Amino acid sequence: YKSGGVKGGLEDDKIDTHRHEYLRKCDELLILPRPLAYGRPDPTTLNLDGFGCTGSVTQALAIALKGNTTCAILSLCENRLGGEGLKTICGSLEGLESLCELRLAGCGIGNQTDELGRLITVNKNITTLDVSNNGMSDPGMLQVLRAVYEGNVMSVLSLARNPGGAESCELLGQILRYGSSLREMDLSWMSLRSDAGLSIVTELAHNRSLRSINLSWNGLDDQCAEAVAEAIYESAVD
């Protein structure tokens, strides 16, 4: 357990309060406090991949995150958060204005994405989002994509290894057609096949901001390949 060695002041009192809240919650839940950084300077990158965030640990982590004021990149990949854990974490991030990159790959989210959609809507500073490999089908993916579409601030988006569905593919096409912020998109291993894939790739020609898109391992046919080639020629996607 680390302290940032902060001095007196109102900000110090706030940090100290969150530190005590975190330790109290750990004691209440009978778990060992993990080494988290508090105080100034707060870490701008917090990598907690495979941290073991399940159940009670997630509750304690959410309290710890509320005490952070400058975290720009938060990675929680390969933690079995599930829907309830995700809800807890998202609630702690709504007021974190410094957060611009959120990585949640392999967190067992499934279709319980209501709070994630709300977070993307409320915190428009988040411009990089990775929710790959979460078993998201149409209902869950639509919640995320609607927030992305309405906000039009997302720069990097990874949906890889989620099955998606017809409606989410249609909305992805609309994001590509009308979105002006996207620079990178990963749609690999989504089992798009020809019909769903075509609804996405035909919109590529209308996009002038995208610089990279991964469509590999989707079983796309020759018609899709031709549409991609045409889009590359017309809009210089590389």
Side-chain angles (χ1 to χ4, degrees), residues 3 12 18 28-29 32 107 113 115 126 137-138 145 152 154 161 179-180 196 236 238:
S3 171
D12 303 348
H18 284 293
E28 175 187 322
L29 298 169
L32 183 68
C107 287
T113 57
E115 292 302 317
I126 300 175
S137 57
D138 251 354
L145 292 179
N152 194 26
M154 199 64 65
R161 297 179 181 272
S180 59
D238 52 31

Side-chain angles (χ1 to χ4, degrees), residues 136-200:
M136 263 186 253
S137 57
D138 251 354
M141 194 171 290
L142 283 171
Q143 292 280 356
V144 175
L145 292 179
R146 285 182 185 126
V148 170
Y149 179 77
E150 292 168 5
N152 194 26
V153 296
M154 199 64 65
S155 177
V156 179
L157 178 64
S158 178
L159 301 169
R161 297 179 181 272
N162 288 297
E167 288 186 70
S168 52
C169 286
E170 183 178 344
L171 185 50
L172 273 169
Q174 295 301 300
I175 290 173
L176 283 170
R177 174 182 277 264
Y178 299 109
S180 59
S181 61
L182 272 176
R183 300 292 181 270
E184 300 177 25
M185 182 180 279
D186 188 352
L187 304 179
S188 60
W189 291 93
M190 288 183 64
S191 302
L192 296 177
R193 307 305 176 197
S194 298
D195 291 342
L198 193 60
S199 68
I200 293 173

Side-chain angles (χ1 to χ4, degrees), residues 199-236:
S199 68
I200 293 173
V201 299
T202 52
E203 302 296 348
L204 283 174
H206 301 282
N207 190 288
R208 294 296 182 270
S209 65
L210 199 64
R211 294 293 172 266
S212 173
I213 184 168
N214 188 346
L215 293 165
S216 60
W217 297 99
N218 274 301
L220 305 182
D221 61 11
D222 289 346
Q223 187 178 7
C224 291
E226 290 174 4
V228 171
E230 182 179 348
I232 292 173
Y233 176 78
E234 292 187 8
S235 60

